[in-house]
Amino acid sequence: MKELARKLITMIKAHEGKNFDAILQDKMEDRAGFSFMSRVKCGDVHFHPERLMVSEPITGNYFCLPLNGIKEIHDETTGKDDVAFTVTYNHNYEVFIQIFQPF
């Protein structure tokens, strides 16, 4: 497994049980592009051969992140209660992930 994939797994696994917001976005700054958001409360983390999945046990909401093709991971955390990072893939799409403590 590649180093960035291991890093992503470690970052996500460290926050299992917390709330996750994952926003898929493109990098088209000069025109309207696509964006999707998935919110998972008290996320369970699951590993599959080529992907990582965070799911919500009660509702079944989930999001998956590919473990292949990761170009870079940027830590955008600003404090202990605001964990955030962006995963950029080789095809130039990004997933912005914020992690919150459940209330």
Side-chain angles (χ1 to χ4, degrees), residues 22-37 71 76 86-96:
I23 303 170
L24 175 65
Q25 52 199 9
D26 63 16
K27 295 184 86 170
M28 296 191 295
E29 289 108 13
D30 59 336
R31 57 192 162 151
F34 64 87
S35 177
F36 301 94
M37 180 181 188
K71 189 178 196 178
E76 299 186 37
T86 300
V87 181
T88 304
Y89 288 89
N90 289 332
H91 299 292
N92 286 328
Y93 64 88
E94 298 178 336
V95 180
F96 176 71

Side-chain angles (χ1 to χ4, degrees), residues 63-83:
F63 65 88
C64 295
L65 299 172
L67 295 174
N68 295 324
I70 300 172
K71 189 178 196 178
E72 55 193 10
I73 300 173
H74 289 286
D75 187 356
E76 299 186 37
T77 301
T78 59
K80 75 175 186 105
D81 295 328
D82 177 29
V83 176

Side-chain angles (χ1 to χ4, degrees), residues 28-68:
M28 296 191 295
E29 289 108 13
D30 59 336
R31 57 192 162 151
F34 64 87
S35 177
F36 301 94
M37 180 181 188
S38 179
R39 176 165 285 153
V40 173
K41 295 181 181 177
C42 298
D44 285 340
V45 179
H46 309 275
F47 304 104
H48 300 278
E50 296 183 5
R51 66 184 170 145
L52 174 143
M53 182 172 81
V54 179
S55 67
E56 185 175 321
I58 296 171
T59 66
N61 290 338
Y62 70 93
F63 65 88
C64 295
L65 299 172
L67 295 174
N68 295 324

